[in-house]
Amino acid sequence: MRSEIEVDRAVERYSDMIRRICLCHLKNAADTEDVFQTVFLKYLLYEGSFEGPEHEKAWFIRVTLNACRDYLKSFFRHRTLPLEELAEEASIPPEQHEVLEAVLALPVKYKDAIYLHYYEGYSAGEIGRILGKKENTVYSLLSRGRTMLKEALGGDL
């Protein structure tokens, strides 16, 4: 673990560069601050040594880029809403909340296809383009997803 003096020196030396890299990748000040803190936490915990200032700078750049990529792929980056708010936004009547819960409980590949088709109104061809799948694959996902929903809802579909 690094000393407080080493971390302070690194923050002074690299903070502007790290913020610029984060802003270029994340395009959001709040996310930039999250990744900024992550990078310096990794530096604080890093037990290796550097061959010189250029090696240290390269390490910061690599860690920052990787942290940005990880953050963009992370679960927290995706928009999450409580079921009630999702149902409200999609104008789903309260009696259909059970169906929405069942849809959201499906495995991702089926959930995406079912949700896009029934709640957003996309055709199989459009869903295929959105998800990067063939149209016939989307038809299969919809069919299997409906079967899974029927089972989950006790045959009420």
Side-chain angles (χ1 to χ4, degrees), residues 10 12 14-16 25 52 54 59 73 77-78 95 110 115 129-130 136-138 146:
E12 281 182 38
Y14 301 113
S15 63
D16 290 338
H25 283 80
E54 287 303 312
W59 183 90
K73 290 188 292 187
R77 181 87 169 129
H78 301 289
E95 60 272 7
Y110 303 111
Y115 183 82
R129 284 190 293 283
I130 292 169
N136 285 337
T137 302
V138 173
R146 281 191 294 267

Side-chain angles (χ1 to χ4, degrees), residues 81-98 100-101 104 115 119:
L81 290 173
L83 182 60
E84 292 74 28
E85 285 183 41
L86 176 64
E88 227 175 77
E89 278 191 15
S91 302
I92 298 168
E95 60 272 7
Q96 291 183 8
H97 285 210
E98 180 184 358
L100 180 60
E101 284 180 21
L104 296 176
Y115 183 82
Y119 291 94

Side-chain angles (χ1 to χ4, degrees), residues 2 6 9-10 13-14 17 43 50-61:
R2 305 217 173 265
E6 286 179 293
R9 179 196 53 78
R13 184 175 287 168
Y14 301 113
M17 175 189 69
Y43 178 73
F50 299 105
E51 296 170 7
E54 287 303 312
H55 181 228
E56 184 179 49
K57 182 178 181 179
W59 183 90
F60 270 104
I61 291 169

Side-chain angles (χ1 to χ4, degrees), residues 2 19 22 44 47 50 56-57 68 72 107 114 118 125 131 137 150 154:
R2 305 217 173 265
R19 279 196 175 95
C22 290
L44 175 70
E47 294 183 6
F50 299 105
E56 184 179 49
K57 182 178 181 179
C68 287
L72 289 171
I114 294 281
Y118 289 104
L131 299 178
T137 302
K150 284 178 187 177

